[in-house]
Amino acid sequence: MSNPADGPPAGAPADAVAPDTVSGGDTLDETLNTVEHQISLFWRRSRSISQQLSRQVHPDMEPSAYGLLAVIRREGPIRLTDLAQNIGVGKPSVSRQIAFLEGIGLVSKEADPLDGRAQSIRLTEKGEERMHQVQDARRQDFRERLGEWPVEELQTLADYMAKLNAVFDLDVLGKEPGARGGGPYRTGTTAT
């Protein structure tokens, strides 16, 4: 997942990266199995939370539609093709979700100012209001669950999650698997 020469992110524990073994005699494979298990557990819980959040916005909304709303809110008006690329799914799937969101009044389409033949998708006032309410509630939940952690540990967690996401971004961006390495990664970004 990373190049040991790159070292751990700033503020990470000194023993965070070791070439072939980790503390306690665990092998790299055993550690990767633990990482895989923890990511799978986190992913399942994340899907459950996304389901709950999407239902708070609209009772018939699928979690994937909530994810689209979050991207549109973060990015501002965005073309359908850019939205599909941003989340790494096909344009037909995104188009179906956007039609649903438009039908319930959470997004609207408008002529793209840079290309009149294209359309940009944006949140409506109703969509902005719903997303604001749900995301504020989610941030409060994070504060209640993680508020007692030291800020340094939270930053280390954010740094490692950013590094992990950067590795998987290579798949979305269509990079060659051989291009994976311990290169630069974004930190300080917030989840949406």
Side-chain angles (χ1 to χ4, degrees):
M1 287 188 349
S2 70
N3 181 345
D6 291 338
D15 65 348
V17 176
D20 293 312
T21 62
V22 293
S23 63
D26 291 337
T27 66
L28 178 60
D29 286 341
E30 290 170 340
T31 303
L32 288 173
N33 285 339
T34 301
V35 168
E36 179 185 10
H37 171 74
Q38 291 300 322
I39 289 173
S40 295
L41 181 61
F42 185 77
W43 184 82
R44 285 192 304 273
R45 288 184 176 155
S46 178
R47 285 286 294 169
S48 176
I49 291 168
S50 290
Q51 183 78 27
Q52 293 169 12
L53 292 172
S54 64
R55 298 291 188 243
Q56 289 175 18
V57 175
H58 189 277
D60 297 327
M61 185 184 297
E62 295 177 20
S64 57
Y66 174 81
L68 293 176
L69 288 174
V71 171
I72 296 167
R73 185 172 195 223
R74 182 182 69 238
E75 300 292 327
I78 187 170
R79 290 180 180 188
L80 186 70
T81 52
D82 295 335
L83 183 57
Q85 182 178 8
N86 189 296
I87 61 170
V89 299
K91 192 174 169 183
S93 177
V94 172
S95 183
R96 180 179 60 83
Q97 292 294 341
I98 291 299
F100 169 79
L101 293 171
E102 191 175 26
I104 61 173
L106 299 180
V107 301
S108 63
K109 294 177 185 173
E110 59 189 26
D112 187 316
L114 301 176
D115 181 356
R117 299 169 296 165
Q119 291 184 321
S120 289
I121 302 160
R122 68 176 318 125
L123 291 181
T124 62
E125 188 175 318
K126 177 182 175 182
E128 181 64 43
E129 180 182 319
R130 292 274 175 87
M131 289 299 289
H132 180 72
Q133 292 169 350
V134 170
Q135 290 183 335
D136 280 355
R138 186 175 67 167
R139 272 190 287 280
Q140 181 59 35
D141 185 53
F142 268 90
R143 182 174 292 280
E144 290 169 8
R145 292 173 190 262
L146 301 176
E148 293 183 17
W149 284 31
V151 172
E152 298 80 24
E153 288 185 15
L154 288 172
Q155 187 58 56
T156 298
L157 175 63
D159 290 346
Y160 277 126
M161 291 182 80
K163 188 173 185 176
L164 180 65
N165 284 323
V167 169
F168 286 98
D169 280 348
L170 295 175
D171 294 334
V172 174
L173 299 173
K175 302 276 173 134
E176 297 275 331
R180 290 189 176 119
Y185 54 93
R186 297 179 307 187
T187 61
T189 58
T190 56
T192 50

